[in-house]
Amino acid sequence: MRRKLLFGERMLLGDGTEPFNAVIPFRLRGTFKIEDIKHALSRLQIKHPWLRALIHHDEKNVPWFEVTERTIPIPIRIVDRKGEDDWQEESKREWQTLFNYGEEPLLRFTWIKGEKVSDMLFGFHHCLCDGGSAMAFLYEFLKILDHPSAEIGLENPILGIQDVVPPEILLSRKQQLKAKVIGRLAATAVKWVPVGKKAVERQKDYMIHWKFDEMISKELVFYCKSEEVTVNTFLSTVLLHAFKKVRGTAAFNKVSCPVDIRRFAPQIKEDHIFAFGLMIVVSSDDKMSFSDNLWMMQEAVERKTAKLNPYMTMMVMESAHDALKNFTKLLKHGKSSNDCMFSNLGRIQISDQYKDFTLETIFSPSVIGPLGNTTTMVTSTFRGEMDFSFMGSEGYLPHSEALAVRDEMIQTIKQQLEYSGVS
């Protein structure tokens, strides 16, 4: 089984010299055997063909996912657990470790082993899948770790754009022409955008992590419902306010928000290993109050989301493979134009209670890569607690300013809850 990487996957893959890795850490209370972990990982590979795949380039240097006849096991690394924050250091290590994707799978596993509590990490190349896919195989891993013979089914993998875009759109000459024209215009524009000779020096990468307890998390959700806005819009508004407060005129007043393609393309199932994403950009208005900004931004989010067209977006991108080098150069060498990428995974629907162990927490995933501004915030909610991972690099956002952004966000959220009388 094999398929060509899509345009977005190729961009994330790069030339193999720079990592673009994501990490999902989680904490278990219980005792475990390495044989059981290996068994669970092997079951994941049986279900999901692309977890068995390597990447090879053809004679035109085009990369392909190829499932080998002999399954190469997911690599496991074991370290002794010394403290509560070991998972953060191991996450950073995973960010910086290249995948030898021509010889090993695009997924690896780290076991931070303790006597009664263990932290575990899935590290994967971002070209393999997104956070939604990763949560699916985390759910399956825990299910099999608890019950080795548990049934998790078999994935019917996506083998190309034809498995996502309906044939009446993909084979339409009108839609094909439209995609080609838009793709050529975009490729030409990108070619002539002036960029620096050197990419911004990233310097040291960092992670900042925090949680809201169950009470504050519940109050935050209630506040958003009372204001008739989504949690995502509320947190985006808070994030923009914090960047403006901390960075002043250096802030861009722009936050990029990924939108799950599964909302628009039912062909992509929850457990599909797939990396394609959609994006909207949100901004606030300095002349408006916080509440007015909330409602204005909610309207903007709904308007922009309604205009998203995943099928045409995919067709346009697939028509522009020859412009990949210029697109990548623009992202790496162009000036940053947004403050942060913000992703809210929402409530994670994974059980915390198992026969022989307890899932104490799932830390929000982290991701960092070489395509421009690395500043990223990811939030998720598990067991009623909202969890935040804030990643960045000194060359884009100094660590001291990132800490100030975090503090301003926490303060603003608590103030809004107090003002509204929710607390």
PDB file of all heavy atoms in Angstrom, residues 114-140:
ATOM      1  N   GLY A 114       7.749   5.410  36.406  1.00  0.00           N
ATOM      2  CA  GLY A 114       7.793   5.567  37.851  1.00  0.00           C
ATOM      3  C   GLY A 114       7.239   4.331  38.537  1.00  0.00           C
ATOM      4  O   GLY A 114       6.703   3.433  37.875  1.00  0.00           O
ATOM      5  N   GLU A 115       7.347   4.278  39.844  1.00  0.00           N
ATOM      6  CA  GLU A 115       6.871   3.093  40.573  1.00  0.00           C
ATOM      7  C   GLU A 115       5.356   2.977  40.527  1.00  0.00           C
ATOM      8  O   GLU A 115       4.809   1.914  40.234  1.00  0.00           O
ATOM      9  CB  GLU A 115       7.350   3.153  42.033  1.00  0.00           C
ATOM     10  CG  GLU A 115       8.832   2.856  42.205  1.00  0.00           C
ATOM     11  CD  GLU A 115       9.211   2.730  43.668  1.00  0.00           C
ATOM     12  OE1 GLU A 115       8.305   2.579  44.517  1.00  0.00           O
ATOM     13  OE2 GLU A 115      10.411   2.803  43.972  1.00  0.00           O
ATOM     14  N   LYS A 116       4.670   4.074  40.843  1.00  0.00           N
ATOM     15  CA  LYS A 116       3.213   4.038  40.868  1.00  0.00           C
ATOM     16  C   LYS A 116       2.579   4.957  39.831  1.00  0.00           C
ATOM     17  O   LYS A 116       1.414   4.792  39.487  1.00  0.00           O
ATOM     18  CB  LYS A 116       2.707   4.426  42.266  1.00  0.00           C
ATOM     19  CG  LYS A 116       3.097   3.435  43.359  1.00  0.00           C
ATOM     20  CD  LYS A 116       2.540   3.862  44.705  1.00  0.00           C
ATOM     21  CE  LYS A 116       2.912   2.859  45.806  1.00  0.00           C
ATOM     22  NZ  LYS A 116       2.388   3.289  47.134  1.00  0.00           N
ATOM     23  N   VAL A 117       3.347   5.934  39.377  1.00  0.00           N
ATOM     24  CA  VAL A 117       2.858   6.892  38.381  1.00  0.00           C
ATOM     25  C   VAL A 117       3.842   6.943  37.215  1.00  0.00           C
ATOM     26  O   VAL A 117       5.056   7.030  37.423  1.00  0.00           O
ATOM     27  CB  VAL A 117       2.689   8.302  38.988  1.00  0.00           C
ATOM     28  CG1 VAL A 117       2.279   9.298  37.912  1.00  0.00           C
ATOM     29  CG2 VAL A 117       1.660   8.292  40.116  1.00  0.00           C
ATOM     30  N   SER A 118       3.329   6.856  36.014  1.00  0.00           N
ATOM     31  CA  SER A 118       4.155   6.976  34.813  1.00  0.00           C
ATOM     32  C   SER A 118       3.590   8.058  33.906  1.00  0.00           C
ATOM     33  O   SER A 118       2.369   8.208  33.786  1.00  0.00           O
ATOM     34  CB  SER A 118       4.198   5.653  34.045  1.00  0.00           C
ATOM     35  OG  SER A 118       4.973   4.680  34.721  1.00  0.00           O
ATOM     36  N   ASP A 119       4.477   8.825  33.299  1.00  0.00           N
ATOM     37  CA  ASP A 119       4.086   9.738  32.227  1.00  0.00           C
ATOM     38  C   ASP A 119       4.499   9.085  30.912  1.00  0.00           C
ATOM     39  O   ASP A 119       5.591   8.518  30.809  1.00  0.00           O
ATOM     40  CB  ASP A 119       4.760  11.094  32.381  1.00  0.00           C
ATOM     41  CG  ASP A 119       4.280  11.836  33.628  1.00  0.00           C
ATOM     42  OD1 ASP A 119       3.098  11.661  33.989  1.00  0.00           O
ATOM     43  OD2 ASP A 119       5.067  12.571  34.231  1.00  0.00           O
ATOM     44  N   MET A 120       3.621   9.149  29.933  1.00  0.00           N
ATOM     45  CA  MET A 120       3.890   8.546  28.629  1.00  0.00           C
ATOM     46  C   MET A 120       3.659   9.574  27.542  1.00  0.00           C
ATOM     47  O   MET A 120       2.803  10.458  27.683  1.00  0.00           O
ATOM     48  CB  MET A 120       3.013   7.310  28.422  1.00  0.00           C
ATOM     49  CG  MET A 120       3.254   6.209  29.455  1.00  0.00           C
ATOM     50  SD  MET A 120       2.230   4.745  29.157  1.00  0.00           S
ATOM     51  CE  MET A 120       2.726   3.687  30.542  1.00  0.00           C
ATOM     52  N   LEU A 121       4.413   9.473  26.457  1.00  0.00           N
ATOM     53  CA  LEU A 121       4.330  10.429  25.369  1.00  0.00           C
ATOM     54  C   LEU A 121       4.235   9.713  24.033  1.00  0.00           C
ATOM     55  O   LEU A 121       5.003   8.788  23.768  1.00  0.00           O
ATOM     56  CB  LEU A 121       5.577  11.324  25.318  1.00  0.00           C
ATOM     57  CG  LEU A 121       5.773  12.460  26.307  1.00  0.00           C
ATOM     58  CD1 LEU A 121       5.998  11.934  27.727  1.00  0.00           C
ATOM     59  CD2 LEU A 121       6.975  13.303  25.887  1.00  0.00           C
ATOM     60  N   PHE A 122       3.304  10.153  23.208  1.00  0.00           N
ATOM     61  CA  PHE A 122       3.319   9.823  21.795  1.00  0.00           C
ATOM     62  C   PHE A 122       3.961  10.996  21.071  1.00  0.00           C
ATOM     63  O   PHE A 122       3.480  12.130  21.181  1.00  0.00           O
ATOM     64  CB  PHE A 122       1.908   9.610  21.245  1.00  0.00           C
ATOM     65  CG  PHE A 122       1.362   8.229  21.451  1.00  0.00           C
ATOM     66  CD1 PHE A 122       0.304   8.005  22.319  1.00  0.00           C
ATOM     67  CD2 PHE A 122       1.907   7.154  20.769  1.00  0.00           C
ATOM     68  CE1 PHE A 122      -0.205   6.724  22.500  1.00  0.00           C
ATOM     69  CE2 PHE A 122       1.406   5.872  20.940  1.00  0.00           C
ATOM     70  CZ  PHE A 122       0.358   5.654  21.812  1.00  0.00           C
ATOM     71  N   GLY A 123       5.037  10.746  20.346  1.00  0.00           N
ATOM     72  CA  GLY A 123       5.649  11.766  19.513  1.00  0.00           C
ATOM     73  C   GLY A 123       5.465  11.368  18.059  1.00  0.00           C
ATOM     74  O   GLY A 123       5.717  10.221  17.688  1.00  0.00           O
ATOM     75  N   PHE A 124       5.000  12.296  17.226  1.00  0.00           N
ATOM     76  CA  PHE A 124       4.768  11.946  15.824  1.00  0.00           C
ATOM     77  C   PHE A 124       5.114  13.126  14.920  1.00  0.00           C
ATOM     78  O   PHE A 124       5.056  14.284  15.321  1.00  0.00           O
ATOM     79  CB  PHE A 124       3.320  11.505  15.590  1.00  0.00           C
ATOM     80  CG  PHE A 124       2.268  12.498  16.029  1.00  0.00           C
ATOM     81  CD1 PHE A 124       1.722  13.401  15.132  1.00  0.00           C
ATOM     82  CD2 PHE A 124       1.819  12.512  17.347  1.00  0.00           C
ATOM     83  CE1 PHE A 124       0.751  14.307  15.537  1.00  0.00           C
ATOM     84  CE2 PHE A 124       0.849  13.414  17.764  1.00  0.00           C
ATOM     85  CZ  PHE A 124       0.309  14.320  16.854  1.00  0.00           C
ATOM     86  N   HIS A 125       5.500  12.783  13.690  1.00  0.00           N
ATOM     87  CA  HIS A 125       5.760  13.826  12.706  1.00  0.00           C
ATOM     88  C   HIS A 125       4.419  14.418  12.290  1.00  0.00           C
ATOM     89  O   HIS A 125       3.457  13.699  12.040  1.00  0.00           O
ATOM     90  CB  HIS A 125       6.482  13.247  11.482  1.00  0.00           C
ATOM     91  CG  HIS A 125       7.158  14.307  10.660  1.00  0.00           C
ATOM     92  ND1 HIS A 125       6.454  15.304  10.013  1.00  0.00           N
ATOM     93  CD2 HIS A 125       8.474  14.545  10.389  1.00  0.00           C
ATOM     94  CE1 HIS A 125       7.300  16.093   9.371  1.00  0.00           C
ATOM     95  NE2 HIS A 125       8.531  15.652   9.589  1.00  0.00           N
ATOM     96  N   HIS A 126       4.363  15.754  12.209  1.00  0.00           N
ATOM     97  CA  HIS A 126       3.095  16.412  11.938  1.00  0.00           C
ATOM     98  C   HIS A 126       2.545  16.081  10.555  1.00  0.00           C
ATOM     99  O   HIS A 126       1.340  16.216  10.307  1.00  0.00           O
ATOM    100  CB  HIS A 126       3.264  17.927  12.093  1.00  0.00           C
ATOM    101  CG  HIS A 126       1.976  18.661  12.318  1.00  0.00           C
ATOM    102  ND1 HIS A 126       0.766  18.025  12.518  1.00  0.00           N
ATOM    103  CD2 HIS A 126       1.695  19.998  12.366  1.00  0.00           C
ATOM    104  CE1 HIS A 126      -0.184  18.922  12.691  1.00  0.00           C
ATOM    105  NE2 HIS A 126       0.350  20.131  12.592  1.00  0.00           N
ATOM    106  N   CYS A 127       3.404  15.639   9.629  1.00  0.00           N
ATOM    107  CA  CYS A 127       2.906  15.264   8.304  1.00  0.00           C
ATOM    108  C   CYS A 127       2.101  13.974   8.362  1.00  0.00           C
ATOM    109  O   CYS A 127       1.360  13.649   7.422  1.00  0.00           O
ATOM    110  CB  CYS A 127       4.051  15.131   7.298  1.00  0.00           C
ATOM    111  SG  CYS A 127       5.001  13.602   7.459  1.00  0.00           S
ATOM    112  N   LEU A 128       2.215  13.217   9.461  1.00  0.00           N
ATOM    113  CA  LEU A 128       1.479  11.965   9.600  1.00  0.00           C
ATOM    114  C   LEU A 128       0.011  12.211   9.906  1.00  0.00           C
ATOM    115  O   LEU A 128      -0.874  11.620   9.294  1.00  0.00           O
ATOM    116  CB  LEU A 128       2.097  11.105  10.701  1.00  0.00           C
ATOM    117  CG  LEU A 128       1.363   9.805  11.049  1.00  0.00           C
ATOM    118  CD1 LEU A 128       1.520   8.796   9.923  1.00  0.00           C
ATOM    119  CD2 LEU A 128       1.883   9.226  12.365  1.00  0.00           C
ATOM    120  N   CYS A 129      -0.250  13.098  10.881  1.00  0.00           N
ATOM    121  CA  CYS A 129      -1.627  13.319  11.295  1.00  0.00           C
ATOM    122  C   CYS A 129      -1.744  14.582  12.137  1.00  0.00           C
ATOM    123  O   CYS A 129      -0.750  15.208  12.504  1.00  0.00           O
ATOM    124  CB  CYS A 129      -2.175  12.118  12.073  1.00  0.00           C
ATOM    125  SG  CYS A 129      -1.361  11.819  13.659  1.00  0.00           S
ATOM    126  N   ASP A 130      -2.986  14.943  12.455  1.00  0.00           N
ATOM    127  CA  ASP A 130      -3.260  16.105  13.298  1.00  0.00           C
ATOM    128  C   ASP A 130      -3.603  15.648  14.711  1.00  0.00           C
ATOM    129  O   ASP A 130      -3.568  14.451  15.030  1.00  0.00           O
ATOM    130  CB  ASP A 130      -4.391  16.946  12.703  1.00  0.00           C
ATOM    131  CG  ASP A 130      -5.710  16.160  12.565  1.00  0.00           C
ATOM    132  OD1 ASP A 130      -5.794  15.022  13.080  1.00  0.00           O
ATOM    133  OD2 ASP A 130      -6.640  16.690  11.941  1.00  0.00           O
ATOM    134  N   GLY A 131      -3.946  16.607  15.570  1.00  0.00           N
ATOM    135  CA  GLY A 131      -4.258  16.289  16.962  1.00  0.00           C
ATOM    136  C   GLY A 131      -5.484  15.412  17.116  1.00  0.00           C
ATOM    137  O   GLY A 131      -5.544  14.566  18.015  1.00  0.00           O
ATOM    138  N   GLY A 132      -6.480  15.601  16.225  1.00  0.00           N
ATOM    139  CA  GLY A 132      -7.682  14.778  16.298  1.00  0.00           C
ATOM    140  C   GLY A 132      -7.387  13.310  16.051  1.00  0.00           C
ATOM    141  O   GLY A 132      -7.863  12.428  16.782  1.00  0.00           O
ATOM    142  N   SER A 133      -6.571  13.016  15.037  1.00  0.00           N
ATOM    143  CA  SER A 133      -6.175  11.632  14.764  1.00  0.00           C
ATOM    144  C   SER A 133      -5.396  11.049  15.929  1.00  0.00           C
ATOM    145  O   SER A 133      -5.582   9.890  16.315  1.00  0.00           O
ATOM    146  CB  SER A 133      -5.305  11.575  13.505  1.00  0.00           C
ATOM    147  OG  SER A 133      -5.996  12.016  12.372  1.00  0.00           O
ATOM    148  N   ALA A 134      -4.503  11.873  16.498  1.00  0.00           N
ATOM    149  CA  ALA A 134      -3.662  11.389  17.592  1.00  0.00           C
ATOM    150  C   ALA A 134      -4.501  11.032  18.816  1.00  0.00           C
ATOM    151  O   ALA A 134      -4.213  10.055  19.517  1.00  0.00           O
ATOM    152  CB  ALA A 134      -2.609  12.436  17.944  1.00  0.00           C
ATOM    153  N   MET A 135      -5.535  11.813  19.095  1.00  0.00           N
ATOM    154  CA  MET A 135      -6.421  11.495  20.219  1.00  0.00           C
ATOM    155  C   MET A 135      -7.144  10.172  19.977  1.00  0.00           C
ATOM    156  O   MET A 135      -7.423   9.422  20.915  1.00  0.00           O
ATOM    157  CB  MET A 135      -7.436  12.621  20.428  1.00  0.00           C
ATOM    158  CG  MET A 135      -6.852  13.869  21.054  1.00  0.00           C
ATOM    159  SD  MET A 135      -6.152  13.538  22.700  1.00  0.00           S
ATOM    160  CE  MET A 135      -5.287  15.083  23.001  1.00  0.00           C
ATOM    161  N   ALA A 136      -7.424   9.874  18.714  1.00  0.00           N
ATOM    162  CA  ALA A 136      -8.096   8.610  18.387  1.00  0.00           C
ATOM    163  C   ALA A 136      -7.195   7.432  18.708  1.00  0.00           C
ATOM    164  O   ALA A 136      -7.632   6.442  19.320  1.00  0.00           O
ATOM    165  CB  ALA A 136      -8.501   8.592  16.911  1.00  0.00           C
ATOM    166  N   PHE A 137      -5.909   7.502  18.311  1.00  0.00           N
ATOM    167  CA  PHE A 137      -5.073   6.334  18.615  1.00  0.00           C
ATOM    168  C   PHE A 137      -4.622   6.312  20.072  1.00  0.00           C
ATOM    169  O   PHE A 137      -4.267   5.264  20.594  1.00  0.00           O
ATOM    170  CB  PHE A 137      -3.924   6.129  17.613  1.00  0.00           C
ATOM    171  CG  PHE A 137      -2.865   7.191  17.502  1.00  0.00           C
ATOM    172  CD1 PHE A 137      -1.994   7.447  18.539  1.00  0.00           C
ATOM    173  CD2 PHE A 137      -2.697   7.889  16.311  1.00  0.00           C
ATOM    174  CE1 PHE A 137      -0.992   8.393  18.413  1.00  0.00           C
ATOM    175  CE2 PHE A 137      -1.690   8.837  16.174  1.00  0.00           C
ATOM    176  CZ  PHE A 137      -0.840   9.096  17.238  1.00  0.00           C
ATOM    177  N   LEU A 138      -4.668   7.466  20.777  1.00  0.00           N
ATOM    178  CA  LEU A 138      -4.436   7.444  22.229  1.00  0.00           C
ATOM    179  C   LEU A 138      -5.569   6.680  22.909  1.00  0.00           C
ATOM    180  O   LEU A 138      -5.324   5.831  23.782  1.00  0.00           O
ATOM    181  CB  LEU A 138      -4.359   8.865  22.777  1.00  0.00           C
ATOM    182  CG  LEU A 138      -4.349   9.000  24.310  1.00  0.00           C
ATOM    183  CD1 LEU A 138      -3.177   8.230  24.921  1.00  0.00           C
ATOM    184  CD2 LEU A 138      -4.292  10.466  24.720  1.00  0.00           C
ATOM    185  N   TYR A 139      -6.811   6.943  22.501  1.00  0.00           N
ATOM    186  CA  TYR A 139      -7.970   6.225  23.032  1.00  0.00           C
ATOM    187  C   TYR A 139      -7.821   4.714  22.815  1.00  0.00           C
ATOM    188  O   TYR A 139      -8.056   3.912  23.722  1.00  0.00           O
ATOM    189  CB  TYR A 139      -9.239   6.752  22.362  1.00  0.00           C
ATOM    190  CG  TYR A 139     -10.433   5.840  22.465  1.00  0.00           C
ATOM    191  CD1 TYR A 139     -11.179   5.771  23.640  1.00  0.00           C
ATOM    192  CD2 TYR A 139     -10.808   5.024  21.394  1.00  0.00           C
ATOM    193  CE1 TYR A 139     -12.276   4.917  23.734  1.00  0.00           C
ATOM    194  CE2 TYR A 139     -11.899   4.174  21.477  1.00  0.00           C
ATOM    195  CZ  TYR A 139     -12.627   4.127  22.656  1.00  0.00           C
ATOM    196  OH  TYR A 139     -13.703   3.280  22.758  1.00  0.00           O
ATOM    197  N   GLU A 140      -7.396   4.343  21.615  1.00  0.00           N
ATOM    198  CA  GLU A 140      -7.251   2.924  21.284  1.00  0.00           C
ATOM    199  C   GLU A 140      -6.108   2.288  22.066  1.00  0.00           C
ATOM    200  O   GLU A 140      -6.233   1.137  22.540  1.00  0.00           O
ATOM    201  CB  GLU A 140      -7.019   2.776  19.784  1.00  0.00           C
ATOM    202  CG  GLU A 140      -8.214   3.189  18.941  1.00  0.00           C
ATOM    203  CD  GLU A 140      -7.869   3.470  17.491  1.00  0.00           C
ATOM    204  OE1 GLU A 140      -6.666   3.399  17.127  1.00  0.00           O
ATOM    205  OE2 GLU A 140      -8.793   3.776  16.709  1.00  0.00           O
TER     206      GLU A 140
END
